[in-house]
Amino acid sequence: FNGDGVLTFVSANAAGLFGAGAQYGVGKHFSQSRLSSAAKTLAALFLEQATSRSLDSATYEIEHALDDGESKWLQVVATVLRDDDSAIDNIIVRVTDVTQRHNSEEQLRIISENVDDVIYIYDTDGIIRYVSPSIERMLGVTPAQRIGKSFLETAISEEARDKASRLFALISGGELTHASVQIEHILPDDRRLWGDVRAKALHDSDGALIGVLTVVRDITRRREAQDALRESEAKYRTLAERSLDPILSFDAAGTISFACPAADKTWKLPV
């Protein structure tokens, strides 16, 4: 584009992004193009700022409708080239199709907003860079209250903080690629919630560690049921051991798995 917003050149591969008629826009103002109204508004704003010399480059993502009714998401990088008097000589616009990435991000957003589990993404320093909206339902806090903080600043017990520190050190140090641990969280109303935390190392295309992904599932009811079962079994064992009547327990193979002391007196069984 020139300084007036008129398209002066289109590369041959533009047809793959804008359709066969892309070349027909040469010589026309961007406002006469088939861009969406939102894209035209962005173009007008950029040209205004570039003309006032307050902006020389910018990156946008826009949705562009094709002739067949489909649409693509495009990343647009605009750079101003100026003459010796700092007036706009040309505006170079590089366009990249980011539809696949955008769709993947949209799918991730839909999933993260609708799952009951809480999804965290940490950087290599243990700072929370993303947390799913489900945190509000599970832990009673908003994503904004967590993003930018270290996992050590979150409301977890001291024992859990030590577990989390050791787990993060093992993953960030490359000794583990994934692991799981049960951590006790402290809710704003001081109630306790047990979370099953599954952590996985995140790597870039070159294999370098770029962060850690964790998924937290509420297992409070399961823990409470397990604790109740253990308590019940302990009470049963205490009663059985004090019983004057012989009590035996057998496993599925018919082997005696428990015999109270009274059984030895009655049947001379080893207790």
Side-chain angles (χ1 to χ4, degrees), residues 66-230:
L66 302 177
D67 293 337
D68 59 6
E70 297 294 322
S71 62
K72 289 185 177 182
W73 279 93
L74 307 176
Q75 182 185 72
V76 180
V77 180
T79 304
V80 178
L81 301 181
R82 299 185 182 276
D83 59 22
D84 295 338
D85 296 323
S86 295
I88 297 175
D89 189 11
N90 283 288
I91 300 175
I92 306 300
V93 178
R94 186 178 75 251
V95 182
T96 305
D97 185 353
V98 294
T99 304
Q100 185 175 1
R101 190 203 73 198
H102 186 275
N103 290 343
S104 297
E105 291 175 349
E106 181 65 12
Q107 290 170 357
L108 177 60
R109 183 191 65 79
I110 292 172
I111 292 171
S112 65
E113 288 183 357
N114 288 280
V115 296
D116 291 327
D117 298 344
V118 177
I119 301 171
Y120 289 91
I121 295 179
Y122 300 86
D123 64 18
T124 54
D125 294 320
I127 304 300
I128 299 171
R129 297 306 179 192
Y130 171 82
V131 59
S132 60
S134 51
I135 191 174
E136 193 162 1
R137 296 193 298 273
M138 183 185 292
L139 300 180
V141 295
T142 65
Q145 291 174 289
R146 287 286 182 265
I147 293 174
K149 293 186 176 180
S150 164
F151 67 88
L152 296 175
E153 298 179 79
T154 57
I156 54 179
S157 66
E158 285 301 321
E159 180 184 0
R161 190 169 284 111
D162 180 59
K163 284 183 183 179
S165 297
R166 286 187 280 115
L167 179 65
F168 192 87
L170 289 171
I171 292 180
S172 60
E175 297 179 58
L176 292 175
T177 58
H178 60 277
S180 63
V181 65
Q182 293 186 2
I183 287 181
E184 186 180 30
H185 295 74
I186 304 172
L187 304 185
D189 59 5
D190 289 330
R191 287 184 298 114
R192 302 299 173 103
L193 179 144
W194 279 95
D196 178 45
V197 181
R198 298 182 181 272
K200 184 179 185 301
L202 297 176
H203 299 90
D204 62 18
S205 57
D206 296 321
L209 181 73
I210 57 174
V212 176
L213 170 73
T214 67
V215 179
V216 182
R217 175 164 295 180
D218 183 357
I219 58 167
T220 305
R221 290 185 178 180
R222 188 204 308 172
R223 288 277 304 214
E224 290 174 346
Q226 290 172 343
D227 291 343
L229 179 60
R230 280 193 292 267

